[in-house]
Amino acid sequence: MGKKRIGILTSGGDCPGLNAVIRAVVKASQLKGWVVYGIPYGTDGFMDLAKGKYQPQDLVLTGNSYDLPGMLKGLDFLQFLSGSVLGSLSKGHPEEAQNKAAILKGYEMLGLEALIIVGGDGSLDIICDLAQEGNWNIVAIPKTIDNDVPFTESSVGFTTAVEIVTQGLYDLTFTAASHERVMLVQVMGRDAGHLALHAGIAGGADIILIPELTPYLTLDTIQGCCYQLAHIRSSGRQFALVVIAEGVKNQQQQKEKYIGDYLAQQIKEQTKLLCEKKEGVFCDPIDVDLRVTVLGHLQRSHTPVALDRLLATVFGIKAVELIEENRYGRIVIWREGQVHSAPLSSIIKILKQCHHEKRCTYPVDPHGFMVKTARSLGIYLGEGRSLL
Ligand code: F6P
């Protein structure tokens, strides 16, 4: 097995665990005597290389240590850090032909035998197009807090994001209880509800709205929320937690930047109306005190939890193994407790189709065990009037 020159880049929105992937790839490659080039800021790094911003040797990761001073000298800390030491890129296809040509030239300049792409559904789609044009040998590693890459049960970053949102819900519980408030939390996920559903269950939410079950807020769903909250109150608890995924649309089926605020407003209005009609049987019109929290990019930046570090490491090692076997055009995946790989082409086909139809690339299964679990706990999932 000869020495190889390989590249690695991170692309799309960052997430916890990217550095753990990079570390695993560099460590495993180093042991094989390979050279690893870290491409800065996704494919832009190739362009900048071609334009002379970097020299190839500036990008070599193998043999380089990110050393700390004093007694911490030698500490291998990369897997603990969030973000990406390579930087990441969140933009579409290179629009100008000359930029695309520069990217392809940059790749050629490094004489790479293979490139590892750590990306989500958007970046994988884009880079695979470039790879085809440039005839690159690629191996992909899925990462995204949205967990919406097809075929893999988990992507790097998802578990940590679930942890962050769950912790957020836990923390909000006590201020909610102290003030007899309803805390409404808007959670990331783009068009997917995995993060909201997992964290909502783990964090003890009373209502979880995800786009797979509630594509948009109907009057029935809003009233269902009012009934659920009224029921909680009448059972003796004066506070509640509501989780809404950012992918849920408003009543006009439009995306809202702050869908949490929108829902809070609707719940207030409908509670008032329902109370008037029901003469206060279900709720007290003056008492629905809602507060909205948008967790935002906190969900993307946190020390990766152990399971994310493990997944990232296993994925990194598997990618190196695939390259060693000259098995290119593949994506590493996690399924049934094992690391596997799948042809990238089959995933890209799904991604392109979904992007074209503007639908989620790997939605929550409405009949899956997670949805069943939430329902069995009495969590209102936005379906129909009310569960209770
Ligand atoms: O895809 C990951 C993600 O964090 C989504 O959950 C979110 O909608 C989006 O990226 C935010 O992107 P940006 O960092 O560009 O605001």
Side-chain angles (χ1 to χ4, degrees):
M1 213 57 74
K3 289 189 177 183
K4 290 185 189 276
R5 295 154 76 90
I6 69 169
I8 180 167
L9 61 80
T10 51
S11 199
D14 71 336
C15 65
L18 295 176
N19 288 322
V21 175
I22 297 165
R23 169 183 176 264
V25 167
V26 171
K27 280 197 148 208
S29 302
Q30 206 153 265
L31 285 174
K32 293 177 196 304
W34 299 359
V35 179
V36 181
Y37 292 89
I39 315 303
Y41 301 104
T43 47
D44 269 9
F46 288 128
M47 188 169 68
D48 291 337
L49 182 74
K51 291 181 178 171
K53 187 171 169 188
Y54 315 108
Q55 293 305 309
Q57 64 270 23
D58 299 338
L59 310 183
V60 175
L61 296 177
T62 28
N64 248 332
S65 63
Y66 299 89
D67 233 341
L68 291 169
M71 301 312 281
L72 292 180
K73 188 173 171 54
L75 175 70
D76 180 11
F77 61 96
L78 206 50
Q79 67 164 330
F80 309 136
L81 300 182
S82 203
S84 167
V85 285
L86 297 177
S88 198
L89 179 72
S90 271
K91 63 183 189 195
H93 282 89
E95 274 161 24
E96 292 167 29
Q98 69 191 61
N99 286 348
K100 197 202 281 180
I103 291 171
L104 298 174
K105 185 176 169 210
Y107 185 94
E108 289 294 313
M109 281 171 69
L110 292 179
L112 298 180
E113 284 173 74
L115 175 68
I116 296 175
I117 300 162
V118 192
D121 70 300
S123 41
L124 291 178
D125 182 355
I126 294 163
I127 298 176
C128 282
D129 286 346
L130 283 166
Q132 214 169 7
E133 281 199 46
N135 214 9
W136 302 350
N137 293 325
I138 52 173
V139 170
I141 295 180
K143 63 87 220 170
T144 167
I145 64 162
D146 306 342
N147 212 30
D148 57 355
V149 176
F151 294 1
T152 185
E153 287 164 8
S154 201
S155 291
V156 174
F158 174 63
T159 309
T160 305
V162 171
E163 189 65 37
I164 297 165
V165 179
T166 303
Q167 183 65 43
L169 291 171
Y170 176 77
D171 292 343
L172 286 167
T173 300
F174 300 96
T175 173
S178 303
H179 290 271
E180 301 194 338
R181 279 177 174 158
V182 176
M183 290 296 178
L184 203 154
V185 180
Q186 179 177 319
V187 172
M188 277 187 171
R190 212 180 288 269
D191 306 316
H194 300 279
L195 182 53
L197 181 61
H198 281 67
I201 294 172
D206 302 291
I207 296 173
I208 304 173
L209 302 179
I210 57 172
E212 292 85 345
L213 299 175
T214 309
Y216 65 98
L217 295 169
T218 62
L219 188 58
D220 266 1
T221 296
I222 296 162
Q223 291 193 343
C225 293
C226 300
Y227 276 81
Q228 177 85 347
L229 296 175
H231 175 84
I232 291 166
R233 293 202 141 193
S234 65
S235 71
R237 173 153 58 93
Q238 299 308 312
F239 64 92
L241 293 176
V242 179
V243 169
I244 184 163
E246 64 179 358
V248 174
K249 298 187 174 116
N250 68 16
Q251 276 177 289
Q252 289 71 44
Q253 305 189 33
Q254 307 292 325
K255 275 221 168 186
E256 290 271 344
K257 191 167 180 202
Y258 297 110
I259 191 68
D261 282 328
Y262 179 92
L263 177 62
Q265 191 53 37
Q266 297 298 319
I267 290 177
K268 271 184 204 160
E269 282 171 21
Q270 284 305 317
T271 302
K272 201 157 176 263
L273 288 174
L274 283 172
C275 286
E276 280 163 13
K277 281 191 201 155
K278 302 279 178 190
E279 294 166 354
V281 175
F282 288 94
C283 50
D284 180 337
I286 51 169
D287 260 348
V288 181
D289 193 7
L290 283 125
R291 290 291 186 278
V292 182
T293 303
V294 181
L295 291 175
H297 290 77
L298 282 175
Q299 294 159 99
R300 293 224 310 239
S301 193
H302 191 271
T303 301
V305 296
L307 279 178
D308 255 333
R309 289 183 213 171
L310 284 172
L311 187 73
T313 305
V314 167
F315 276 180
I317 300 297
K318 179 73 180 176
V320 170
E321 190 184 298
L322 288 169
I323 292 173
E324 187 161 40
E325 294 164 358
N326 298 320
R327 294 173 69 204
Y328 301 124
R330 301 193 72 79
I331 180 165
V332 299
I333 55 169
W334 186 254
R335 206 182 276 171
E336 292 172 356
Q338 290 286 335
V339 63
H340 300 275
S341 73
L344 200 44
S345 56
S346 46
I347 285 186
I348 296 298
K349 204 169 145 202
I350 298 172
L351 297 184
K352 285 200 180 298
Q353 182 79 21
C354 293
H355 291 157
H356 180 67
E357 292 167 11
K358 293 194 175 10
R359 60 187 169 86
C360 180
T361 44
Y362 187 58
V364 168
D365 177 1
H367 309 292
F369 71 96
M370 272 298 171
V371 170
K372 275 189 199 148
T373 302
R375 252 189 224 123
S376 304
L377 290 170
I379 298 172
Y380 178 59
L381 296 175
E383 303 149 301
R385 236 348 189 333
S386 171
L387 280 178
L388 299 170

